Amino acid sequence: MKLNKKFFVLAAFCSFLVACAQDKPITHDPVVAKQGDTYYLFCTGPGITSFTSKDLKTWTQEAPVFAESPKWAKAVAPGFNGHIWAPDITFHNGRYYLYYSISAFGKNTSAIGLVTNSTLNPKDKNYKWEDQGIVIQSVPGRDLWNAIDPNLIFDEAGTPWLAFGSFWNGLKMVKLASNLKDLAQPEAWHTIARRDRDKTLEDSEPGNAALEGPFIFKKDAYYYQFLSWDYCCRGEESTYKLVVGRSKTVTGPYVDKDGKALNEGGGSLVIEGNKNWYGVGHNSVFTFDGKDYTFMHGYDASDKALPKLIVKEITWVDGWPTVKPMD
């Protein structure tokens, strides 16, 4: 996360986030885990913003994950201001793995980091976030991809893969080692989604192939790749929308309803904005109590185009995810 006036959102965070119960808290790039009877939401913000809820409807802001920024952040992105982007949460072998993004705005001077904890409950005596450092880094002039927007997925053999990326030459997937913080050797890379980029642009530019935020969700025989097209973070000019493709193998190729590959520009629409929500996107998908939910943000036309949390239950029609349109 993210490009093109991303700090429209980030500047608004500190002014408008309120530490009290909220039905639609100001949120960007939400992910959710459930421990006990409590849902824990993590999203873009200073130190990784967090909220809790008992019912997925009313949310209370909690302390951020990082009290201080990761020590390595400014070496990766010299202009880093404390805002950490697009986390991803997974519970695996008794620990919570929270991936996150550090980046310069509109540049691929970026890195994905990892922080872990044995519990999400701050009242637990064992509660302690431990930073594991950089997992993967993109470097201008070397990489035509961007190390942001991570998402961890395990294949049918239990092999971990990290999906990530935005703009440039598309969304990527790389195999991880069993410790979930190093790349597997030999390295295994795949392009899982892309759109045509203006070939006249300099490699240093993100370009106009607007896609980002991959999230892979396994359902029955398929892996579904959700991703966001077009532009976030532009207030009432935001054009964000959510699309999807599926594959029987985690590395793809993912195809849309028409059979067009996502790495050739394909994608079937799941949800988009309307007159009340200028754009909706950057989602995550989780199963809670037997129901599948997607969590995303949308730009509220009734409230200064601020980004708000959107939660929708997914229904599956002919093997494809559907959600109710925005109100």
Side-chain angles (χ1 to χ4, degrees), residues 37-104:
D37 64 353
T38 303
Y39 298 94
Y40 295 84
L41 183 151
F42 302 93
C43 61
T44 291
I48 306 179
T49 300
S50 67
F51 295 86
T52 56
S53 175
K54 299 292 187 180
D55 58 6
L56 294 179
K57 296 178 181 178
T58 302
W59 298 87
T60 300
Q61 189 180 353
E62 307 292 348
V65 170
F66 285 95
E68 297 180 358
S69 296
K71 294 179 180 179
W72 52 266
K74 282 190 176 293
V76 169
F80 177 69
N81 67 349
H83 287 86
I84 299 176
W85 299 350
D88 178 71
I89 186 75
T90 300
F91 185 68
H92 178 69
N93 288 346
R95 290 194 70 80
Y96 290 93
Y97 290 77
L98 185 67
Y99 295 88
Y100 59 91
S101 311
I102 300 289
S103 183

Side-chain angles (χ1 to χ4, degrees), residues 272-310:
E272 60 185 339
N274 58 19
K275 65 179 181 179
N276 298 319
W277 296 90
Y278 294 120
V280 291
H282 200 116
N283 81 316
S284 58
V285 181
F286 300 96
T287 302
F288 296 124
D289 301 321
K291 296 181 179 180
D292 298 330
Y293 296 91
T294 181
F295 300 82
M296 67 197 103
H297 67 264
Y299 299 94
D300 188 351
S302 69
D303 190 10
K304 304 175 184 177
L306 290 172
K308 303 286 186 69
L309 175 65
I310 306 296

Side-chain angles (χ1 to χ4, degrees), residues 1-8 10 76-81 83 85 101-111 138-141 143-149 166-168 197 201-208 212 231-234:
M1 192 191 89
K2 287 312 193 245
L3 306 169
N4 302 304
K5 300 184 181 178
K6 188 67 179 185
F7 292 137
F8 161 82
L10 301 182
V76 169
F80 177 69
N81 67 349
H83 287 86
W85 299 350
S101 311
I102 300 289
S103 183
F105 181 73
K107 298 183 181 297
N108 63 341
T109 50
S110 308
S138 55
V139 178
D143 305 311
L144 200 59
W145 44 265
N146 197 14
I148 62 171
D149 296 0
S166 76
F167 286 67
W168 274 274
R197 168 186 167 90
L201 291 171
E202 296 292 332
D203 288 351
S204 60
E205 297 296 322
N208 54 351
E212 59 192 7
Y231 296 96
C232 77
C233 323
R234 294 185 171 191

Side-chain angles (χ1 to χ4, degrees), residues 170-185:
L171 309 184
K172 306 297 180 180
M173 178 177 280
V174 65
K175 186 189 293 187
L176 295 181
S178 59
N179 64 9
L180 304 186
K181 62 181 180 180
D182 296 317
L183 300 189
Q185 299 298 323

